[in-house]
mmCIF file of all heavy atoms in Angstrom:
data_model
loop_
_atom_site.group_PDB
_atom_site.id
_atom_site.type_symbol
_atom_site.label_atom_id
_atom_site.label_comp_id
_atom_site.label_asym_id
_atom_site.label_seq_id
_atom_site.Cartn_x
_atom_site.Cartn_y
_atom_site.Cartn_z
ATOM 1 N N SER A 1 77.481 -45.806 -33.660
ATOM 2 C CA SER A 1 76.277 -45.698 -34.493
ATOM 3 C C SER A 1 75.263 -46.793 -34.206
ATOM 4 O O SER A 1 74.106 -46.698 -34.634
ATOM 5 C CB SER A 1 76.656 -45.722 -35.974
ATOM 6 O OG SER A 1 77.354 -46.924 -36.295
ATOM 7 N N ASP A 2 75.685 -47.849 -33.502
ATOM 8 C CA ASP A 2 74.753 -48.944 -33.178
ATOM 9 C C ASP A 2 73.810 -48.571 -32.035
ATOM 10 O O ASP A 2 72.777 -49.228 -31.844
ATOM 11 C CB ASP A 2 75.532 -50.203 -32.775
ATOM 12 C CG ASP A 2 76.308 -50.801 -33.932
ATOM 13 O OD1 ASP A 2 75.804 -50.727 -35.070
ATOM 14 O OD2 ASP A 2 77.416 -51.319 -33.698
ATOM 15 N N ILE A 3 74.171 -47.535 -31.283
ATOM 16 C CA ILE A 3 73.397 -47.227 -30.082
ATOM 17 C C ILE A 3 71.988 -46.751 -30.415
ATOM 18 O O ILE A 3 71.002 -47.235 -29.859
ATOM 19 C CB ILE A 3 74.129 -46.181 -29.219
ATOM 20 C CG1 ILE A 3 75.417 -46.779 -28.664
ATOM 21 C CG2 ILE A 3 73.228 -45.699 -28.079
ATOM 22 C CD1 ILE A 3 76.247 -45.792 -27.857
ATOM 23 N N LYS A 4 71.885 -45.795 -31.343
ATOM 24 C CA LYS A 4 70.590 -45.162 -31.621
ATOM 25 C C LYS A 4 69.498 -46.156 -31.996
ATOM 26 O O LYS A 4 68.405 -46.123 -31.417
ATOM 27 C CB LYS A 4 70.757 -44.099 -32.704
ATOM 28 C CG LYS A 4 69.481 -43.303 -32.947
ATOM 29 C CD LYS A 4 69.708 -42.192 -33.964
ATOM 30 C CE LYS A 4 68.418 -41.412 -34.218
ATOM 31 N NZ LYS A 4 68.631 -40.331 -35.224
ATOM 32 N N PRO A 5 69.732 -47.085 -32.966
ATOM 33 C CA PRO A 5 68.635 -48.002 -33.326
ATOM 34 C C PRO A 5 68.264 -48.996 -32.237
ATOM 35 O O PRO A 5 67.205 -49.625 -32.305
ATOM 36 C CB PRO A 5 69.183 -48.729 -34.565
ATOM 37 C CG PRO A 5 70.652 -48.600 -34.485
ATOM 38 C CD PRO A 5 70.910 -47.282 -33.828
ATOM 39 N N LEU A 6 69.129 -49.138 -31.222
ATOM 40 C CA LEU A 6 68.852 -50.119 -30.163
ATOM 41 C C LEU A 6 68.270 -49.495 -28.895
ATOM 42 O O LEU A 6 67.943 -50.214 -27.956
ATOM 43 C CB LEU A 6 70.140 -50.876 -29.809
ATOM 44 C CG LEU A 6 70.729 -51.746 -30.923
ATOM 45 C CD1 LEU A 6 71.992 -52.439 -30.453
ATOM 46 C CD2 LEU A 6 69.720 -52.769 -31.419
ATOM 47 N N LEU A 7 68.133 -48.164 -28.868
ATOM 48 C CA LEU A 7 67.591 -47.515 -27.677
ATOM 49 C C LEU A 7 66.162 -47.968 -27.392
ATOM 50 O O LEU A 7 65.785 -48.192 -26.232
ATOM 51 C CB LEU A 7 67.640 -45.993 -27.850
ATOM 52 C CG LEU A 7 69.025 -45.344 -27.729
ATOM 53 C CD1 LEU A 7 68.945 -43.863 -28.064
ATOM 54 C CD2 LEU A 7 69.605 -45.549 -26.335
ATOM 55 N N SER A 8 65.344 -48.083 -28.447
ATOM 56 C CA SER A 8 63.950 -48.498 -28.232
ATOM 57 C C SER A 8 63.869 -49.934 -27.734
ATOM 58 O O SER A 8 63.012 -50.265 -26.912
ATOM 59 C CB SER A 8 63.140 -48.336 -29.519
ATOM 60 O OG SER A 8 63.644 -49.183 -30.542
ATOM 61 N N VAL A 9 64.766 -50.799 -28.236
ATOM 62 C CA VAL A 9 64.785 -52.199 -27.779
ATOM 63 C C VAL A 9 65.154 -52.250 -26.298
ATOM 64 O O VAL A 9 64.496 -52.920 -25.499
ATOM 65 C CB VAL A 9 65.788 -53.030 -28.611
ATOM 66 C CG1 VAL A 9 65.744 -54.499 -28.185
ATOM 67 C CG2 VAL A 9 65.500 -52.905 -30.097
ATOM 68 N N ALA A 10 66.222 -51.512 -25.943
ATOM 69 C CA ALA A 10 66.650 -51.501 -24.543
ATOM 70 C C ALA A 10 65.590 -50.869 -23.652
ATOM 71 O O ALA A 10 65.356 -51.334 -22.527
ATOM 72 C CB ALA A 10 67.976 -50.742 -24.417
ATOM 73 N N GLY A 11 64.922 -49.815 -24.146
ATOM 74 C CA GLY A 11 63.860 -49.190 -23.364
ATOM 75 C C GLY A 11 62.709 -50.146 -23.114
ATOM 76 O O GLY A 11 62.164 -50.210 -21.996
ATOM 77 N N SER A 12 62.334 -50.910 -24.131
ATOM 78 C CA SER A 12 61.264 -51.904 -23.968
ATOM 79 C C SER A 12 61.663 -52.967 -22.959
ATOM 80 O O SER A 12 60.861 -53.375 -22.107
ATOM 81 C CB SER A 12 60.932 -52.552 -25.322
ATOM 82 O OG SER A 12 60.450 -51.604 -26.239
ATOM 83 N N CYS A 13 62.922 -53.422 -23.052
ATOM 84 C CA CYS A 13 63.405 -54.411 -22.082
ATOM 85 C C CYS A 13 63.379 -53.845 -20.664
ATOM 86 O O CYS A 13 62.973 -54.530 -19.721
ATOM 87 C CB CYS A 13 64.825 -54.846 -22.442
ATOM 88 S SG CYS A 13 64.953 -55.904 -23.903
ATOM 89 N N ALA A 14 63.808 -52.578 -20.517
ATOM 90 C CA ALA A 14 63.847 -51.971 -19.188
ATOM 91 C C ALA A 14 62.457 -51.874 -18.586
ATOM 92 O O ALA A 14 62.266 -52.144 -17.387
ATOM 93 C CB ALA A 14 64.492 -50.579 -19.273
ATOM 94 N N VAL A 15 61.463 -51.495 -19.406
ATOM 95 C CA VAL A 15 60.087 -51.404 -18.897
ATOM 96 C C VAL A 15 59.588 -52.780 -18.464
ATOM 97 O O VAL A 15 58.980 -52.935 -17.394
ATOM 98 C CB VAL A 15 59.155 -50.795 -19.966
ATOM 99 C CG1 VAL A 15 57.701 -50.920 -19.541
ATOM 100 C CG2 VAL A 15 59.506 -49.335 -20.209
ATOM 101 N N MET A 16 59.842 -53.802 -19.279
ATOM 102 C CA MET A 16 59.402 -55.150 -18.921
ATOM 103 C C MET A 16 60.102 -55.640 -17.658
ATOM 104 O O MET A 16 59.486 -56.260 -16.782
ATOM 105 C CB MET A 16 59.675 -56.101 -20.091
ATOM 106 C CG MET A 16 59.295 -57.556 -19.829
ATOM 107 S SD MET A 16 57.604 -57.790 -19.223
ATOM 108 C CE MET A 16 56.666 -57.101 -20.561
ATOM 109 N N ILE A 17 61.393 -55.346 -17.535
ATOM 110 C CA ILE A 17 62.143 -55.754 -16.341
ATOM 111 C C ILE A 17 61.598 -55.047 -15.100
ATOM 112 O O ILE A 17 61.390 -55.675 -14.053
ATOM 113 C CB ILE A 17 63.642 -55.456 -16.532
ATOM 114 C CG1 ILE A 17 64.234 -56.377 -17.600
ATOM 115 C CG2 ILE A 17 64.404 -55.632 -15.221
ATOM 116 C CD1 ILE A 17 65.608 -55.958 -18.087
ATOM 117 N N LEU A 18 61.371 -53.739 -15.217
ATOM 118 C CA LEU A 18 60.793 -52.993 -14.100
ATOM 119 C C LEU A 18 59.486 -53.613 -13.640
ATOM 120 O O LEU A 18 59.251 -53.825 -12.449
ATOM 121 C CB LEU A 18 60.541 -51.542 -14.524
ATOM 122 C CG LEU A 18 61.654 -50.518 -14.300
ATOM 123 C CD1 LEU A 18 61.303 -49.209 -14.987
ATOM 124 C CD2 LEU A 18 61.882 -50.289 -12.825
ATOM 125 N N THR A 19 58.627 -53.913 -14.614
ATOM 126 C CA THR A 19 57.288 -54.400 -14.304
ATOM 127 C C THR A 19 57.315 -55.787 -13.685
ATOM 128 O O THR A 19 56.795 -56.014 -12.594
ATOM 129 C CB THR A 19 56.433 -54.418 -15.580
ATOM 130 O OG1 THR A 19 56.446 -53.128 -16.172
ATOM 131 C CG2 THR A 19 55.007 -54.814 -15.275
ATOM 132 N N GLN A 20 57.933 -56.739 -14.391
ATOM 133 C CA GLN A 20 57.925 -58.125 -13.920
ATOM 134 C C GLN A 20 58.707 -58.274 -12.617
ATOM 135 O O GLN A 20 58.269 -58.970 -11.696
ATOM 136 C CB GLN A 20 58.493 -59.048 -14.994
ATOM 137 C CG GLN A 20 57.537 -59.333 -16.127
ATOM 138 C CD GLN A 20 57.918 -60.574 -16.924
ATOM 139 O OE1 GLN A 20 57.208 -60.958 -17.824
ATOM 140 N NE2 GLN A 20 59.016 -61.197 -16.629
ATOM 141 N N SER A 21 59.866 -57.635 -12.546
ATOM 142 C CA SER A 21 60.709 -57.805 -11.362
ATOM 143 C C SER A 21 60.041 -57.232 -10.120
ATOM 144 O O SER A 21 60.014 -57.871 -9.064
ATOM 145 C CB SER A 21 62.067 -57.139 -11.586
ATOM 146 O OG SER A 21 62.722 -57.694 -12.705
ATOM 147 N N ALA A 22 59.489 -56.016 -10.245
ATOM 148 C CA ALA A 22 58.844 -55.389 -9.087
ATOM 149 C C ALA A 22 57.641 -56.203 -8.629
ATOM 150 O O ALA A 22 57.453 -56.439 -7.433
ATOM 151 C CB ALA A 22 58.428 -53.963 -9.428
ATOM 152 N N ALA A 23 56.819 -56.639 -9.595
ATOM 153 C CA ALA A 23 55.626 -57.409 -9.243
ATOM 154 C C ALA A 23 56.003 -58.722 -8.560
ATOM 155 O O ALA A 23 55.409 -59.111 -7.545
ATOM 156 C CB ALA A 23 54.794 -57.677 -10.489
ATOM 157 N N THR A 24 57.024 -59.399 -9.101
ATOM 158 C CA THR A 24 57.443 -60.687 -8.536
ATOM 159 C C THR A 24 58.045 -60.508 -7.140
ATOM 160 O O THR A 24 57.717 -61.252 -6.214
ATOM 161 C CB THR A 24 58.463 -61.359 -9.471
ATOM 162 O OG1 THR A 24 57.912 -61.467 -10.781
ATOM 163 C CG2 THR A 24 58.829 -62.743 -8.963
ATOM 164 N N SER A 25 58.921 -59.518 -6.990
ATOM 165 C CA SER A 25 59.551 -59.280 -5.689
ATOM 166 C C SER A 25 58.516 -58.966 -4.617
ATOM 167 O O SER A 25 58.601 -59.447 -3.487
ATOM 168 C CB SER A 25 60.548 -58.123 -5.788
ATOM 169 O OG SER A 25 61.582 -58.439 -6.677
ATOM 170 N N ARG A 26 57.524 -58.139 -4.994
ATOM 171 C CA ARG A 26 56.494 -57.752 -4.023
ATOM 172 C C ARG A 26 55.715 -58.967 -3.531
ATOM 173 O O ARG A 26 55.395 -59.076 -2.348
ATOM 174 C CB ARG A 26 55.531 -56.756 -4.662
ATOM 175 C CG ARG A 26 56.117 -55.382 -4.886
ATOM 176 C CD ARG A 26 55.163 -54.526 -5.675
ATOM 177 N NE ARG A 26 55.778 -53.277 -6.110
ATOM 178 C CZ ARG A 26 55.205 -52.453 -6.960
ATOM 179 N NH1 ARG A 26 54.024 -52.712 -7.459
ATOM 180 N NH2 ARG A 26 55.817 -51.335 -7.311
ATOM 181 N N VAL A 27 55.394 -59.872 -4.449
ATOM 182 C CA VAL A 27 54.604 -61.054 -4.087
ATOM 183 C C VAL A 27 55.308 -61.859 -3.004
ATOM 184 O O VAL A 27 54.711 -62.218 -1.981
ATOM 185 C CB VAL A 27 54.343 -61.927 -5.329
ATOM 186 C CG1 VAL A 27 53.812 -63.304 -4.916
ATOM 187 C CG2 VAL A 27 53.345 -61.251 -6.257
ATOM 188 N N TYR A 28 56.604 -62.143 -3.204
ATOM 189 C CA TYR A 28 57.310 -63.008 -2.264
ATOM 190 C C TYR A 28 57.708 -62.276 -0.985
ATOM 191 O O TYR A 28 57.760 -62.888 0.086
ATOM 192 C CB TYR A 28 58.524 -63.643 -2.956
ATOM 193 C CG TYR A 28 58.091 -64.660 -3.982
ATOM 194 C CD1 TYR A 28 57.975 -64.315 -5.329
ATOM 195 C CD2 TYR A 28 57.730 -65.943 -3.603
ATOM 196 C CE1 TYR A 28 57.542 -65.233 -6.267
ATOM 197 C CE2 TYR A 28 57.296 -66.879 -4.528
ATOM 198 C CZ TYR A 28 57.203 -66.510 -5.868
ATOM 199 O OH TYR A 28 56.752 -67.413 -6.787
ATOM 200 N N ALA A 29 57.990 -60.982 -1.095
ATOM 201 C CA ALA A 29 58.270 -60.222 0.128
ATOM 202 C C ALA A 29 57.040 -60.175 1.023
ATOM 203 O O ALA A 29 57.137 -60.324 2.244
ATOM 204 C CB ALA A 29 58.725 -58.808 -0.236
ATOM 205 N N ALA A 30 55.867 -59.996 0.403
ATOM 206 C CA ALA A 30 54.629 -59.968 1.184
ATOM 207 C C ALA A 30 54.320 -61.346 1.764
ATOM 208 O O ALA A 30 53.888 -61.464 2.912
ATOM 209 C CB ALA A 30 53.472 -59.490 0.317
ATOM 210 N N ARG A 31 54.558 -62.380 0.968
ATOM 211 C CA ARG A 31 54.240 -63.745 1.419
ATOM 212 C C ARG A 31 55.054 -64.127 2.647
ATOM 213 O O ARG A 31 54.560 -64.808 3.552
ATOM 214 C CB ARG A 31 54.500 -64.738 0.279
ATOM 215 C CG ARG A 31 54.160 -66.182 0.618
ATOM 216 C CD ARG A 31 54.380 -67.094 -0.578
ATOM 217 N NE ARG A 31 53.513 -66.730 -1.697
ATOM 218 C CZ ARG A 31 53.584 -67.296 -2.908
ATOM 219 N NH1 ARG A 31 54.494 -68.223 -3.139
ATOM 220 N NH2 ARG A 31 52.755 -66.920 -3.858
ATOM 221 N N TYR A 32 56.321 -63.704 2.707
ATOM 222 C CA TYR A 32 57.187 -64.108 3.817
ATOM 223 C C TYR A 32 57.476 -62.946 4.776
ATOM 224 O O TYR A 32 58.396 -63.040 5.598
ATOM 225 C CB TYR A 32 58.503 -64.672 3.259
ATOM 226 C CG TYR A 32 58.297 -66.010 2.582
ATOM 227 C CD1 TYR A 32 58.115 -66.084 1.204
ATOM 228 C CD2 TYR A 32 58.254 -67.187 3.320
ATOM 229 C CE1 TYR A 32 57.907 -67.307 0.562
ATOM 230 C CE2 TYR A 32 58.047 -68.407 2.698
ATOM 231 C CZ TYR A 32 57.866 -68.465 1.325
ATOM 232 O OH TYR A 32 57.652 -69.672 0.694
ATOM 233 N N HIS A 33 56.703 -61.867 4.651
ATOM 234 C CA HIS A 33 56.800 -60.715 5.563
ATOM 235 C C HIS A 33 58.240 -60.214 5.658
ATOM 236 O O HIS A 33 58.790 -60.012 6.747
ATOM 237 C CB HIS A 33 56.299 -61.106 6.962
ATOM 238 C CG HIS A 33 54.936 -61.726 6.937
ATOM 239 N ND1 HIS A 33 53.788 -61.010 6.661
ATOM 240 C CD2 HIS A 33 54.530 -63.020 7.140
ATOM 241 C CE1 HIS A 33 52.742 -61.826 6.705
ATOM 242 N NE2 HIS A 33 53.154 -63.039 6.982
ATOM 243 N N GLN A 34 58.846 -60.017 4.488
ATOM 244 C CA GLN A 34 60.227 -59.574 4.445
ATOM 245 C C GLN A 34 60.316 -58.156 3.880
ATOM 246 O O GLN A 34 59.485 -57.739 3.076
ATOM 247 C CB GLN A 34 61.073 -60.528 3.591
ATOM 248 C CG GLN A 34 61.218 -61.905 4.224
ATOM 249 C CD GLN A 34 61.959 -62.876 3.338
ATOM 250 O OE1 GLN A 34 62.157 -62.627 2.152
ATOM 251 N NE2 GLN A 34 62.361 -63.998 3.901
ATOM 252 N N ARG A 35 61.337 -57.461 4.284
ATOM 253 C CA ARG A 35 61.564 -56.092 3.820
ATOM 254 C C ARG A 35 62.030 -56.117 2.367
ATOM 255 O O ARG A 35 62.821 -56.971 1.976
ATOM 256 C CB ARG A 35 62.618 -55.424 4.707
ATOM 257 C CG ARG A 35 62.983 -54.024 4.292
ATOM 258 C CD ARG A 35 64.022 -53.451 5.240
ATOM 259 N NE ARG A 35 64.540 -52.180 4.766
ATOM 260 C CZ ARG A 35 65.551 -52.062 3.908
ATOM 261 N NH1 ARG A 35 66.148 -53.150 3.442
ATOM 262 N NH2 ARG A 35 65.976 -50.867 3.529
ATOM 263 N N LEU A 36 61.548 -55.157 1.579
ATOM 264 C CA LEU A 36 61.937 -55.068 0.178
ATOM 265 C C LEU A 36 62.278 -53.622 -0.150
ATOM 266 O O LEU A 36 61.509 -52.706 0.137
ATOM 267 C CB LEU A 36 60.789 -55.548 -0.729
ATOM 268 C CG LEU A 36 61.063 -55.497 -2.236
ATOM 269 C CD1 LEU A 36 62.141 -56.509 -2.610
ATOM 270 C CD2 LEU A 36 59.785 -55.772 -3.024
ATOM 271 N N ASP A 37 63.444 -53.419 -0.765
ATOM 272 C CA ASP A 37 63.877 -52.096 -1.203
ATOM 273 C C ASP A 37 63.893 -52.104 -2.727
ATOM 274 O O ASP A 37 64.860 -52.559 -3.350
ATOM 275 C CB ASP A 37 65.262 -51.789 -0.640
ATOM 276 C CG ASP A 37 65.726 -50.369 -0.963
ATOM 277 O OD1 ASP A 37 65.100 -49.736 -1.839
ATOM 278 O OD2 ASP A 37 66.705 -49.914 -0.361
ATOM 279 N N GLU A 38 62.819 -51.603 -3.339
ATOM 280 C CA GLU A 38 62.694 -51.673 -4.795
ATOM 281 C C GLU A 38 63.751 -50.839 -5.502
ATOM 282 O O GLU A 38 64.204 -51.200 -6.593
ATOM 283 C CB GLU A 38 61.289 -51.237 -5.215
ATOM 284 C CG GLU A 38 60.223 -52.227 -4.797
ATOM 285 C CD GLU A 38 58.826 -51.758 -5.157
ATOM 286 O OE1 GLU A 38 58.672 -50.589 -5.529
ATOM 287 O OE2 GLU A 38 57.896 -52.586 -5.080
ATOM 288 N N ASN A 39 64.163 -49.731 -4.916
ATOM 289 C CA ASN A 39 65.215 -48.925 -5.527
ATOM 290 C C ASN A 39 66.558 -49.652 -5.494
ATOM 291 O O ASN A 39 67.352 -49.574 -6.433
ATOM 292 C CB ASN A 39 65.322 -47.572 -4.825
ATOM 293 C CG ASN A 39 64.159 -46.667 -5.173
ATOM 294 O OD1 ASN A 39 63.769 -46.568 -6.329
ATOM 295 N ND2 ASN A 39 63.581 -46.017 -4.175
ATOM 296 N N GLN A 40 66.823 -50.390 -4.411
ATOM 297 C CA GLN A 40 68.036 -51.202 -4.352
ATOM 298 C C GLN A 40 67.964 -52.322 -5.382
ATOM 299 O O GLN A 40 68.978 -52.670 -6.014
ATOM 300 C CB GLN A 40 68.206 -51.788 -2.950
ATOM 301 C CG GLN A 40 69.503 -52.567 -2.752
ATOM 302 C CD GLN A 40 70.741 -51.689 -2.783
ATOM 303 O OE1 GLN A 40 70.698 -50.540 -2.358
ATOM 304 N NE2 GLN A 40 71.834 -52.223 -3.300
ATOM 305 N N ASP A 41 66.780 -52.882 -5.596
ATOM 306 C CA ASP A 41 66.623 -53.920 -6.617
ATOM 307 C C ASP A 41 66.940 -53.384 -8.005
ATOM 308 O O ASP A 41 67.447 -54.115 -8.868
ATOM 309 C CB ASP A 41 65.197 -54.485 -6.584
ATOM 310 C CG ASP A 41 65.041 -55.588 -5.555
ATOM 311 O OD1 ASP A 41 66.056 -55.996 -4.959
ATOM 312 O OD2 ASP A 41 63.904 -56.055 -5.354
ATOM 313 N N LEU A 42 66.639 -52.100 -8.268
ATOM 314 C CA LEU A 42 66.982 -51.511 -9.561
ATOM 315 C C LEU A 42 68.494 -51.492 -9.767
ATOM 316 O O LEU A 42 68.993 -51.728 -10.876
ATOM 317 C CB LEU A 42 66.421 -50.095 -9.666
ATOM 318 C CG LEU A 42 64.919 -49.969 -9.926
ATOM 319 C CD1 LEU A 42 64.500 -48.508 -9.933
ATOM 320 C CD2 LEU A 42 64.546 -50.621 -11.250
ATOM 321 N N ILE A 43 69.250 -51.244 -8.698
ATOM 322 C CA ILE A 43 70.711 -51.314 -8.799
ATOM 323 C C ILE A 43 71.139 -52.748 -9.109
ATOM 324 O O ILE A 43 72.012 -52.992 -9.956
ATOM 325 C CB ILE A 43 71.361 -50.829 -7.495
ATOM 326 C CG1 ILE A 43 71.068 -49.343 -7.286
ATOM 327 C CG2 ILE A 43 72.863 -51.073 -7.517
ATOM 328 C CD1 ILE A 43 71.630 -48.788 -5.997
ATOM 329 N N GLY A 44 70.506 -53.718 -8.419
ATOM 330 C CA GLY A 44 70.828 -55.120 -8.668
ATOM 331 C C GLY A 44 70.506 -55.539 -10.092
ATOM 332 O O GLY A 44 71.290 -56.248 -10.745
#
């Protein structure tokens, strides 16, 4: 029964993680000309 009230919290966290992590990874991958697999980062 704890799952339902926490879905929105987890969803908000997931959106923030997606946004910040992707933006940050892209910056440093571009800076050092390195390959980046954003879908693999989602697994990580």
Side-chain angles (χ1 to χ4, degrees):
S1 59
D2 292 325
I3 293 177
K4 186 176 179 181
L6 295 180
L7 286 174
S8 63
V9 183
S12 298
C13 288
V15 170
M16 178 52 60
I17 291 167
L18 270 171
T19 305
Q20 283 199 177
S21 301
T24 305
S25 297
R26 288 173 190 171
V27 167
Y28 290 96
R31 182 177 298 174
Y32 290 96
H33 308 289
Q34 293 176 346
R35 178 179 172 274
L36 180 67
D37 185 346
E38 291 177 349
N39 287 316
Q40 184 68 33
D41 275 354
L42 284 177
I43 295 178

